[in-house]
Amino acid sequence: MHGAPFLKATFASLAVVAVGIIGLPILIILFSTSPSKVYETLLETEVLNSLSLTFTCAFIATLIGMIFGTPLAYILARYQFPLKSFLQGLVDLPLVIPHPVAGIALLLGSSSIFGGHWSFIGNWSAIVTAMLFVSFPLFVNPLQEAFHSIPREMEWTSRTLGIGPWSTFFRVSFPLVRRSLLVGALMMWARGISEFGAIVMLTYNPKVTSVLIYDRFTTGGLEEALPVAVVLIWISIIFFVFLRTLQKGRGVSAGN
Amino acid sequence: MLEIKDFRRDLSDFTIEVEELSIKQGETYALLGPSGAGKTQFLLSIAGFTSLQNGIIRVAGRDVSQSPPENRDISIIFQNPSLFPHLDVRRNIEFGNRKTLTPELLIELLDLADILDIPIRQLSGGQTQLVALARALTPQPRVLLMDEPFSALDGQTRRLLINRFKMVQKQLGTTCLLVTHNLEDCVSLADKVGILEKGSLVESGNTKHIFNSPGSAEIASFLGLENLFPGTVQYETAEVQLSFDCEGFPATFNSEHNILHVLARNEGLAYALIRPQDITLSTAQPISTSALNVLPGTIVDSLEQRSIFMLTVDTGLRFKVMVTPQSFRELNLSNQKAVFLSFKASAIKIYQ
């Protein structure tokens, strides 16, 4: 930026507007409730249960996403096959369809697959499924890009050095995408925590935090909903700052 | 050591077909060819990354055609050295499973001791390629495939690397198949040369032989051989004359002795090749000489290349002529000086 003061000033002004669009509403929410009210809310069993349910379900959804999404990302990055573009589009679909529609699709899908043997209603598995569905592309897409950026020659070299395909994957490819994998997982987890539309179509109870906020808003108004929202935002901020610090501290950027 | 028979692999727009290729232990075979001739694909098939339609690949007598790449006893080095960026230099060198050579030996032979602790991204181009070489040789493969390994390096680094490679290869007796389009690499390293064009091995043999007598005009041109002139072969009654349709060149090569060397059998486009070292240069017209082709011309350029002067002489056609520094001084040669070129009819090779 040296010698480009006008560019720097213009970009900085535009960036301030962007940060303001995101930051101002959050700041207003955070300071719209007294700290004592936030503390009281945090001690409510219903709030604690919903927070624990939300974070746990988002974590399970992320784990499942990692187990199934990593091979999918590798296949999409490395191989050419018929209907690949279709598959790619399918992976991206949850980003564009309205989430209540995703909820309806999952509801219909589960009843046609499992029939009367198993129901999403009242079940935490519904929450995990909804979270997994809407956040899956956020994990797969960056990971696919990361696999794609590894030169094939690196994997080929490993093979000619006597290393089999599995070992090559875990000793060469996997370490090189570690950063993208962690970032993708973090994004997936975060997206899961914030999900409302798809979850509420599948099951209202047990209540994840987003549903609890909605529930309190419709029954007790803004005054009831706001403290829970503030608690969720604070916990999310603390988690994200902690994880980003951890990520930097461990130097997971090796190879990038 | 490496034997390839009836090799066939279909690519999208042509097929690589190599009937027979054999490289003895410790030998280096250079595969030349224009871009897109299938050289890299040929190497990848030998290494086992692409399946063949047909053919047998033997390494030290063992048929490895169906073996996965990790069991072929073949290492590979690419133009992009592909060092593992998440590992340091030492762990890159020690990466292979089949460590039959101690890495220390290679570190010593290739003089890598000082860079073992340097992060990969701080290595220079030459150091990177040396580490890649050490890594490829640690399993002591019987065959080493190299795909343009020195092409991204500057001249001095390139020569240094080639010298170290030759030393290590001699010590380990590694058989090497090198893909390159650099003639210097080829001449410095290769015992044998093959030329791949659109998947076919159009020429294969001893390096010296191929460079002295390339099999076709395309090959001579591809090899960067100087003094290759297009012309037309014309049958005129009993005598064959070769006339050049080059503006400003007034005559045909007028020696009927050329007939002796004319390989062309058809009328039409042909190429004449006269190697720079086969042309004699004099400042006065030679009177009694066995060379029947004598052409007057003017020196238009002179370039000193490793204890030899390469002159460009304009006779209507531009000839490259080699003279020693001693001749250059004694004949008092300089640009714009009028000279005569003479060469024997037998020095002209005609390709059609």
Side-chain angles (χ1 to χ4, degrees), chain B residues 173-206:
Chain B
T174 313
T175 305
C176 184
L177 176 54
L178 166 78
V179 159
T180 182
H181 55 244
N182 183 291
L183 298 174
E184 205 182 314
D185 290 357
C186 196
V187 175
S188 328
L189 284 169
D191 304 292
K192 284 181 181 169
V193 174
I195 293 164
L196 199 68
E197 267 183 17
K198 285 226 158 175
S200 299
L201 201 57
V202 291
E203 182 98 47
S204 179
N206 183 285

Side-chain angles (χ1 to χ4, degrees), chain A:
Chain A
M1 286 285 183
H2 287 291
F6 182 64
L7 179 116
K8 195 175 175 180
T10 312
F11 278 20
S13 318
L14 294 172
V16 164
V17 175
V19 171
I21 291 171
I22 299 167
L24 272 180
I26 302 277
L27 274 177
I28 290 167
I29 287 189
L30 285 179
F31 295 104
S32 59
T33 312
S34 67
S36 57
K37 181 71 180 162
V38 172
Y39 183 67
E40 272 173 37
T41 308
L42 192 58
L43 297 181
E44 283 179 43
T45 314
E46 191 185 26
V47 173
L48 278 177
N49 284 346
S50 89
L51 281 171
S52 138
L53 179 73
T54 307
F55 284 81
T56 310
C57 285
F59 181 71
I60 294 169
T62 305
L63 273 187
I64 296 170
M66 287 167 80
I67 292 166
F68 293 98
T70 306
L72 177 63
Y74 187 78
I75 285 170
L76 286 172
R78 276 287 180 252
Y79 302 111
Q80 296 302 324
F81 49 88
L83 299 177
K84 183 178 169 179
S85 306
F86 173 77
L87 185 62
Q88 185 78 69
L90 197 68
V91 171
D92 288 336
L93 206 58
L95 292 176
V96 291
I97 57 169
H99 288 182
V101 177
I104 294 170
L106 289 173
L107 202 59
L108 290 176
S110 71
S111 59
S112 62
I113 293 168
F114 300 109
H117 303 292
W118 184 72
S119 169
F120 266 152
I121 312 294
N123 196 324
W124 63 266
S125 63
I127 300 165
V128 170
T129 310
M131 286 176 169
L132 179 64
F133 185 90
V134 298
S135 60
F136 198 53
L138 296 177
F139 177 76
V140 173
N141 287 342
L143 193 60
Q144 180 185 339
E145 284 295 314
F147 277 129
H148 192 72
S149 69
I150 302 173
R152 287 302 305 253
E153 288 92 339
M154 239 177 239
E155 292 170 346
W156 285 335
T157 302
S158 165
R159 296 286 302 277
T160 59
L161 294 173
I163 312 294
W166 284 96
S167 285
T168 292
F169 179 80
F170 285 109
R171 290 180 62 186
V172 177
S173 320
F174 194 75
L176 292 176
V177 299
R178 219 166 26 162
R179 183 188 169 86
S180 300
L181 186 123
L182 275 180
V183 170
L186 211 58
M187 288 297 130
M188 196 181 170
W189 186 67
R191 185 67 196 81
I193 290 168
S194 67
E195 181 50 24
F196 172 75
I199 295 173
V200 87
M201 297 303 284
L202 284 176
T203 181
Y204 202 79
N205 287 303
K207 289 188 190 68
V208 289
T209 313
S210 60
V211 176
L212 181 68
I213 293 167
Y214 177 75
D215 184 66
R216 291 201 172 184
F217 180 72
T218 50
T219 54
L222 198 58
E223 203 176 311
E224 289 288 313
L226 213 49
V228 189
V230 172
V231 166
L232 181 67
I233 291 172
W234 271 122
I235 292 177
S236 301
I237 289 173
I238 292 165
F239 251 105
F240 267 86
V241 170
F242 172 70
L243 283 172
R244 290 278 185 192
T245 318
L246 197 72
Q247 202 181 335
K248 268 187 197 164
R250 289 197 176 170
V252 287
S253 61
N256 285 282

Side-chain angles (χ1 to χ4, degrees), chain B residues 151-315:
Chain B
S151 62
L153 306 173
D154 62 81
Q156 199 183 348
T157 313
R158 185 186 205 112
R159 276 189 283 281
L160 177 88
L161 237 79
I162 287 176
N163 286 340
R164 291 217 191 146
F165 172 73
K166 279 164 83 170
M167 184 190 73
V168 172
Q169 189 197 20
K170 196 175 171 190
Q171 189 142 347
L172 304 180
T174 313
T175 305
C176 184
L177 176 54
L178 166 78
V179 159
T180 182
H181 55 244
N182 183 291
L183 298 174
E184 205 182 314
D185 290 357
C186 196
V187 175
S188 328
L189 284 169
D191 304 292
K192 284 181 181 169
V193 174
I195 293 164
L196 199 68
E197 267 183 17
K198 285 226 158 175
S200 299
L201 201 57
V202 291
E203 182 98 47
S204 179
N206 183 285
T207 307
K208 199 173 166 189
H209 176 74
I210 299 273
F211 274 83
N212 283 340
S213 316
S216 73
E218 286 80 12
I219 290 166
S221 167
F222 177 76
L223 292 174
L225 299 172
E226 308 287 2
N227 301 338
L228 183 72
F229 303 119
T232 44
V233 178
Q234 289 176 339
Y235 287 92
E236 288 181 3
T237 58
E239 113 182 340
V240 172
Q241 288 210 325
L242 186 75
S243 65
F244 289 95
D245 54 356
C246 177
E247 206 177 328
F249 189 68
T252 59
F253 279 106
N254 58 0
S255 166
E256 62 183 34
H257 291 81
N258 271 0
I259 298 167
L260 296 174
H261 204 78
V262 166
L263 304 170
R265 289 175 191 87
N266 304 311
E267 285 192 291
L269 184 68
Y271 290 85
L273 175 74
I274 307 119
R275 298 187 309 155
Q277 57 270 44
D278 291 337
I279 300 175
T280 307
L281 183 140
S282 51
T283 47
Q285 182 156 16
I287 299 163
S288 52
T289 169
S290 61
L292 291 178
N293 293 284
V294 179
L295 302 171
T298 312
I299 298 175
V300 290
D301 189 32
S302 56
L303 187 68
E304 193 174 0
Q305 289 180 339
R306 287 194 219 148
S307 74
I308 203 97
F309 273 90
M310 182 69 91
L311 307 180
T312 307
V313 177
D314 190 352
T315 65

Side-chain angles (χ1 to χ4, degrees), chain A residues 151 153-165 171-172 175-176 254-256, chain B residues 44 49 68-70 74-76 78 82-86 95-98 135-136 139:
Chain A
E153 288 92 339
M154 239 177 239
E155 292 170 346
W156 285 335
T157 302
S158 165
R159 296 286 302 277
T160 59
L161 294 173
I163 312 294
R171 290 180 62 186
V172 177
L176 292 176
N256 285 282
Chain B
L44 290 177
F49 294 110
E70 55 271 26
I74 294 175
S75 279
I76 192 162
F78 295 97
S82 307
L83 295 185
F84 306 125
H86 56 301
F95 190 83
N97 265 358
R98 299 171 275 124
R135 181 180 63 178

